[in-house]
Amino acid sequence: MINSLEINNNLLYYFVYGGKMKEKNKIASILKNERESLGLTLKEVSNKIGFVHYQTLSSIESGKREIKAWELAKLANIYGRNIDFFLWPDERKKETKILWRTPEENTKKESIRRTFLSFCEKYKNLLELSGEKEEKNNELLLSLTKNNLLNRYSFEYVSKIASDYLNLLQLGSRPACSLTKILEEKVGIKTIHLELDPEISGGSTVGDFGMAILINANDAPWRRNYDLAHEFFHLITWNYFSPEEIYKKDKKGKNRIEQLADVFASAFLLPEDELRDEFRKKTEKNYITYLNLVDIAREFSVSIEALLWRLVNLDLIKKDAVIKELEKGSIKDLDRKFRHIYWEGEKPYISARYISLAIKAFQMGKISKAKFAEYAGKKFSEVSSFLKKYGYDENEDYSVAYSIT
Amino acid sequence: MHIVLLDADVIIDLHRFHIWDQIVDKNKIYISSIILRHEVYFYEDYKGIRHNIDLLKDIGLKFHEISISSEELKKFSQQFDRVFEPELHEGEKEALKILQDNNEILFCTFDKAAIKAMALLGKREQGISLEKLLKSSGIAKKIEFKHTEKYFKKYLDEGSIMRIQGRGIKK
């Protein structure tokens, strides 16, 4: 939709100016499209930028008034774009699609999409700037069979894939503990945490920057782990299903691919042998207390619901009892009370690795402090205290190095 | 008296050291619009308490605002080799473009990438460290390592080496 509008405007100017569109008018037409695509009015944007009269913006958008660099920088910021998006429109890459966890359209999604993709691009730049090798993840992707993913034994097949990935990635007996780090550093999946509304729990995408996952930083740690594993499934099956297939619901209103992603996440975070072992240890005379169940969920860093359903799938507890208990809610209350403390810690900010790369690039003088602020999503004035928080001292000489024997 | 264009970190630290007024009294100060309107909002004292910096009220009184058009910004950016350039923010690009067009202006910054870029553009003679600016303004103040002439020169030299080696700037 956005692309077609841009093309129409370009054509319009082509006829008006009888040839190549003037630079000023090119920027003007993109600015107008950007504002309209976000559903913003001239007045709203004028207020944000600090124009007294909205006519100023209107003149800029119609190409009548020259746009200052500072005005373009502010507008780019408001529209969630890099300034290069307006300066070099011909070099613009194809818009990358995101597979959202919830397909429903939401007015905030376009703005979140831009922020997420912008961090993915920046992540790629930072890897290059700081001289870190981008992981080639192709050999870490197992070959799957689409037919097996869709037949009546697909749940077993997906559980087996989860188990194979656990071994391949050497995630150990408590996969959630190192999942983010392994996916980022070993598989090369860029994992971006943003503070999102509860109805948007995340998504995944594949672009020029590689594979990336968006996680809601506001969610509980165990929910984030689950979402990460769920989205990982979508990435390893990225070339097997179209978005239409993924969102398609059956007669019962259930979504087969999403169910598979849940089965995968569950088997991935709760490895069968380790879970059976832990369950056996905490069982007394054919009973397991709620407290012990909460303890197992905490141990594996998954939600109590995820644990209960995994136990049902492994035939360790009865499905009816779980449905009844989850409806009643007492085990969920107990879980919330006992794990409240684990949720009080600091929320993840973008990605620990991303921030570390940005600090490295800044320290090496590859990016300026103002550029670092942009990379870190901070105001320039906040950068010094932000760097201090991460242990970086601007006055320290970090070029001191050991010689290698 | 110098004619000086100040970078954002310099403005913030001059406020942090409470010597802003002395510097503007003794020099003709310019601030580029992006730095003025995007970057300088507050400084933090040694206790971490934030103090607002309101510069907009002093435009034309204590200093001059200077800006470039988006077309000029684009042309300026085109000089750099995208693979090797130190990645600069638009604020620094605007400041460096002003520097390129005005030989009498000096640029005061302690940003490594900005200092390097200055030398890369062959403008090292127009760079001034905060230490030197304070000295020439007759201000005695205990400064940090990043404000020193030594620090400034180190990164100017890095930029000059890149220039000699033909890295960072398109041929």
Side-chain angles (χ1 to χ4, degrees):
Chain A
M1 188 64 188
I2 299 165
N3 285 339
S4 66
L5 265 170
E6 278 162 14
I7 290 161
N8 291 341
N9 270 326
N10 281 337
L11 281 174
L12 176 74
Y13 278 103
Y14 187 87
F15 292 120
V16 171
Y17 294 99
K20 202 182 164 194
M21 200 196 294
K22 282 182 184 171
E23 191 67 42
K24 188 170 71 175
N25 298 316
K26 231 180 203 178
I27 295 175
S29 103
I30 305 167
L31 283 170
K32 190 166 190 269
N33 281 332
E34 283 300 292
R35 180 178 58 75
E36 288 175 349
S37 72
L38 290 169
L40 296 166
T41 65
L42 281 168
K43 270 191 179 174
E44 283 169 330
V45 177
S46 297
N47 285 340
K48 285 185 184 186
I49 196 173
F51 287 152
V52 182
H53 307 290
Y54 72 88
Q55 286 89 344
T56 309
L57 182 59
S58 174
S59 300
I60 289 171
E61 285 187 358
S62 60
K64 286 178 193 156
R65 181 186 175 282
E66 183 185 61
I67 182 162
K68 294 279 183 193
W70 75 266
E71 292 165 337
L72 185 62
K74 275 217 163 175
L75 287 170
N77 193 260
I78 293 166
Y79 300 148
R81 300 286 195 193
N82 186 299
I83 200 163
D84 290 355
F85 180 87
F86 301 93
L87 294 177
W88 282 276
D90 302 334
E91 291 178 22
R92 210 181 297 164
K93 290 166 191 160
K94 212 179 116 198
E95 298 270 295
T96 306
K97 286 199 172 110
I98 293 173
L99 183 65
W100 295 99
R101 184 77 184 270
T102 44
E104 290 76 28
E105 274 313 308
N106 179 312
T107 47
K108 287 182 185 164
K109 268 189 179 166
E110 178 53 22
S111 149
I112 296 164
R113 190 185 73 86
R114 289 180 187 187
T115 310
F116 173 43
L117 294 177
S118 154
F119 277 122
C120 294
E121 291 287 349
K122 286 174 187 159
Y123 204 140
K124 186 175 182 279
N125 285 350
L126 286 174
L127 283 164
E128 285 167 9
L129 285 166
S130 53
E132 298 265 334
K133 260 192 212 160
E134 177 105 68
E135 289 304 327
K136 297 275 177 233
N137 42 43
N138 290 348
E139 66 266 25
L140 285 169
L141 292 179
L142 299 168
S143 174
L144 311 175
T145 314
K146 187 167 179 178
N147 189 38
N148 287 347
L149 286 165
L150 291 171
N151 69 24
R152 54 194 290 221
Y153 302 109
S154 58
F155 285 173
E156 287 82 354
Y157 180 61
V158 164
S159 298
K160 169 79 171 55
I161 297 169
S163 171
D164 290 346
Y165 268 107
L166 280 173
N167 293 329
L168 185 70
L169 302 176
Q170 298 173 322
L171 280 158
S173 60
R174 303 293 183 269
C177 300
S178 53
L179 186 58
T180 312
K181 198 173 157 63
I182 297 284
L183 290 188
E184 285 207 80
E185 294 181 18
K186 202 166 176 179
V187 193
I189 295 177
K190 295 165 180 68
T191 306
I192 306 291
H193 296 83
L194 297 177
E195 291 194 28
L196 309 171
D197 286 347
E199 67 269 19
I200 307 168
S201 61
S204 48
T205 188
V206 177
D208 292 337
F209 43 77
M211 298 191 283
I213 292 175
L214 172 66
I215 297 290
N216 189 347
N218 287 329
D219 282 337
W222 41 95
R223 173 78 196 268
R224 296 197 302 261
N225 292 335
Y226 194 84
D227 285 344
L228 191 57
H230 178 104
E231 297 304 332
F232 180 49
F233 176 81
H234 285 307
L235 288 178
I236 60 176
T237 57
W238 191 262
N239 295 324
Y240 295 85
F241 303 114
S242 66
E244 293 72 31
E245 281 176 293
I246 291 166
Y247 295 136
K248 193 180 164 192
K249 287 183 179 173
D250 64 15
K251 284 173 192 166
K252 290 177 187 167
K254 289 194 174 171
N255 186 310
R256 184 71 179 171
I257 315 294
E258 282 297 277
Q259 280 181 317
L260 291 177
D262 284 337
V263 169
F264 176 87
S266 180
F268 195 55
L269 296 172
L270 294 156
E272 184 173 348
D273 293 345
E274 282 77 10
L275 180 59
R276 282 186 187 279
D277 192 34
E278 203 60 36
F279 187 80
R280 201 171 41 243
K281 274 192 234 165
K282 291 195 161 62
T283 307
E284 275 178 56
K285 294 176 188 168
N286 287 338
Y287 285 97
I288 184 159
T289 63
Y290 283 5
L291 207 56
N292 274 337
L293 284 168
V294 170
D295 204 32
I296 297 174
R298 181 195 55 75
E299 176 74 23
F300 284 87
S301 204
V302 295
S303 69
I304 190 72
E305 291 100 315
L307 173 72
L308 292 174
W309 286 117
R310 178 71 170 144
L311 293 173
V312 168
N313 289 336
L314 294 176
D315 262 340
L316 291 168
I317 50 176
K318 288 192 177 103
K319 189 178 175 181
D320 293 347
V322 166
I323 293 172
K324 212 170 136 189
E325 192 43 57
L326 287 176
E327 270 173 12
K328 218 164 74 184
S330 51
I331 194 162
K332 282 209 274 190
D333 288 343
L334 191 71
D335 182 53
R336 216 168 287 137
K337 273 183 213 161
F338 273 86
R339 286 210 276 177
H340 185 66
I341 195 162
Y342 299 102
W343 200 358
E344 279 179 342
E346 203 164 338
K347 290 172 192 169
Y349 186 72
I350 310 175
S351 140
R353 189 182 187 213
Y354 173 96
I355 296 294
S356 149
L357 288 169
I359 292 176
K360 194 174 163 191
F362 172 59
Q363 175 263 319
M364 291 161 78
K366 295 280 178 88
I367 56 172
S368 70
K369 192 170 174 181
K371 202 70 194 173
F372 176 85
E374 195 180 292
Y375 272 98
K378 293 281 164 191
K379 287 193 173 86
F380 183 87
S381 306
E382 293 173 314
V383 170
S384 290
S385 53
F386 181 79
L387 287 168
K388 261 186 219 158
K389 200 176 112 183
Y390 281 85
Y392 180 80
D393 181 350
E394 289 176 83
N395 284 303
E396 196 72 44
D397 182 6
Y398 292 101
S399 60
V400 183
Y402 274 114
S403 59
I404 300 166
T405 51
Chain B
M1 176 188 267
H2 289 304
I3 304 171
V4 202
L5 186 65
L6 299 180
D7 201 358
D9 45 10
V10 173
I11 301 168
I12 290 173
D13 277 6
L14 289 174
H15 279 85
R16 186 159 64 93
F17 294 156
H18 306 290
I19 50 174
W20 168 249
D21 285 332
Q22 290 179 63
I23 287 288
V24 296
D25 280 349
K26 289 180 177 153
N27 299 280
K28 190 170 182 182
I29 300 296
Y30 282 90
I31 303 177
S32 83
S33 293
I34 299 180
I35 289 171
L36 178 67
R37 295 168 187 275
H38 281 248
E39 295 174 8
V40 184
Y41 294 105
F42 58 84
Y43 72 90
E44 284 180 345
D45 62 22
Y46 69 99
K47 286 180 183 165
I49 298 166
R50 287 180 178 187
H51 301 268
N52 286 336
I53 300 174
D54 182 12
L55 292 173
L56 296 177
K57 63 176 174 32
D58 292 329
I59 301 173
L61 299 171
K62 291 187 175 178
F63 64 87
H64 304 275
E65 179 181 5
I66 187 162
S67 56
I68 62 169
S69 71
S70 51
E71 284 179 50
E72 285 174 305
L73 177 69
K74 181 174 177 173
K75 274 186 198 149
F76 175 80
S77 305
Q78 280 168 333
Q79 296 175 86
F80 293 96
D81 184 326
R82 285 198 168 188
V83 184
F84 288 110
E85 65 166 303
E87 232 187 291
L88 300 171
H89 186 262
E90 285 66 45
E92 285 121 7
K93 285 183 185 169
E94 186 176 47
L96 289 167
K97 167 70 181 153
I98 292 162
L99 202 70
Q100 228 177 13
D101 293 346
N102 300 275
N103 290 331
E104 74 284 8
I105 291 187
L106 299 178
F107 184 37
C108 184
T109 179
F110 47 85
D111 189 288
K112 290 174 195 173
I115 302 170
K116 276 204 273 188
M118 208 169 2
L120 192 60
L121 291 164
K123 289 278 163 185
R124 63 176 292 153
E125 301 309 321
Q126 281 176 255
I128 184 166
S129 67
L130 184 59
E131 181 181 18
K132 209 168 170 182
L133 181 65
L134 295 184
K135 215 175 263 180
S136 66
S137 306
I139 300 166
K141 184 84 196 169
K142 197 182 165 201
I143 49 168
E144 294 163 17
F145 177 60
K146 64 185 177 185
H147 305 132
T148 61
E149 184 66 14
K150 190 182 167 191
Y151 179 95
F152 194 75
K153 201 171 167 300
K154 182 185 172 191
Y155 294 102
L156 269 184
D157 289 347
E158 277 190 24
S160 293
I161 291 168
M162 283 175 78
R163 184 176 166 83
I164 293 163
Q165 292 174 338
R167 293 186 294 134
I169 291 280
K170 280 183 194 161
K171 282 160 194 159

